[in-house]
Amino acid sequence: MGIPLFKGSEVERLRLAGRAAAGTLEHVASRLQPGVTTADIDAWVREDTARRGGTPSQLGYKGFPATVCTSRNHVVCHGVPRADEVLKPGDIVNVDVTTHLDGFHGDTSATFMICEVSADAKHVVDVARRCRDVGVSVVRHGARLGDIGAAVTALAKAEGCSVVEEFGGHGIGRQMHGEPHVPHVARAGTGITLKSGMVITIEPMINLGRPDIRMMPDGWTVVTADGSLSAQFEHTVLVTRDGCEILTPSELSLHIPVSHPKS
């Protein structure tokens, strides 16, 4: 099956799904504070997604048991929310939200810093955000898929960080995960040619230490092999003639202060 090219009303429905996912992520960000559990985050995602008329795409996907991935500190991705996992000052936590709305999916994530965090934590979060943004910046009709990974890898390496190779972005639309696979470690000028109407996610996972990872016994949670911190940011983007459109726009405060109010 070829990579779909979206247009017209399909693009508008993709926008609505992307904005719904981004809105739910903003809702979660507004409630984060020390003492919150990752199970609380799961409940908030479930409630807010329903309020927006959507359903959580991740729930039940290949057996995933929750509505959201919550990846804390050395967890790279696919962290399963738990009632006994409590956010503490100094933690960083990635919240990955995917919403299914009117037949289409929107996928976005951000890594939040709980109260005062270490210089290393600030660094890996900042680099991860900039790696996503530099990957987005090269997307346009006629660019090659490898251009994204080349830009991400160059920035991460310059900042003394590494990029996880085993996971990448993906095509998205009527399916949550589809073609193409979007590698975040690649050579410029390689891979398929991007075409206007393609929709992909860009979501590099950036480690403070080595890029090696390992799977935990639950079969979902992926952690850094050396125990170093990991951070990730994600947007869903539509390829256009002169660049791209971010379908999951948001205004997020990544630093959660001690006095952050409940809502």
Side-chain angles (χ1 to χ4, degrees):
M1 183 179 295
I3 299 167
L5 302 178
F6 298 102
K7 58 184 179 180
S9 63
E10 294 175 319
V11 171
E12 183 54 34
R13 290 159 73 186
L14 281 159
R15 289 189 183 109
L16 292 174
R19 290 170 187 164
T24 294
L25 186 60
E26 289 180 347
H27 175 72
V28 169
S30 76
R31 302 184 71 171
L32 291 177
Q33 62 179 341
V36 163
T37 69
T38 52
D40 291 332
I41 296 173
D42 181 70
W44 297 340
V45 169
R46 186 184 301 262
E47 295 162 3
D48 192 72
T49 301
R51 183 174 64 82
R52 296 174 191 275
T55 56
S57 306
Q58 297 181 41
L59 182 61
Y61 180 75
K62 294 185 178 180
F64 189 72
T67 66
V68 62
C69 296
T70 52
S71 302
R72 177 170 158 259
N73 295 333
H74 70 298
V75 177
V76 174
C77 62
H78 303 160
V80 179
R82 303 196 320 263
D84 62 352
E85 184 176 39
V86 181
L87 300 186
K88 301 173 183 176
D91 282 345
I92 61 174
V93 61
N94 176 269
V95 179
D96 188 341
V97 174
T98 314
T99 299
H100 184 228
L101 180 68
D102 192 23
F104 289 84
H105 298 268
D107 193 358
T108 187
S109 84
T111 300
F112 301 95
M113 298 174 283
I114 308 301
C115 305
E116 289 303 314
V117 301
S118 68
D120 281 347
K122 289 179 182 177
H123 182 62
V124 75
V125 170
D126 177 64
V127 173
R129 179 186 55 79
R130 289 193 287 130
C131 280
R132 177 203 61 189
D133 292 348
V134 77
V136 170
S137 73
V138 303
V139 173
R140 60 183 41 79
H141 180 86
R144 300 290 289 272
L145 194 63
D147 298 345
I148 298 169
V152 168
T153 303
L155 176 56
K157 184 176 180 180
E159 293 290 353
C161 294
S162 63
V163 184
V164 172
E165 297 189 38
E166 289 86 346
F167 297 95
H170 51 86
I172 187 170
R174 294 183 183 276
Q175 295 179 307
M176 179 169 70
H177 281 193
E179 293 296 327
H181 172 70
V182 181
H184 296 122
V185 178
R187 287 190 301 112
T190 63
I192 65 166
T193 299
L194 299 178
K195 296 181 180 180
S196 180
M198 288 182 179
V199 178
I200 59 175
T201 69
I202 297 177
E203 48 181 304
M205 302 166 193
I206 306 301
N207 294 351
L208 192 64
R210 295 180 55 79
D212 310 273
I213 59 174
R214 61 186 177 91
M215 179 73 71
M216 297 299 285
D218 66 7
W220 287 106
T221 305
V222 177
V223 300
T224 56
D226 60 8
S228 64
L229 294 172
S230 186
Q232 180 190 19
F233 288 81
E234 176 183 13
H235 272 319
T236 298
V237 299
L238 167 70
V239 181
T240 65
R241 284 284 171 186
D242 56 356
C244 68
E245 177 185 345
I246 294 173
L247 299 178
T248 49
S250 61
E251 298 277 342
L252 290 171
S253 174
L254 302 178
H255 179 241
I256 309 302
V258 176
S259 58
H260 200 69
K262 292 183 179 179
S263 59

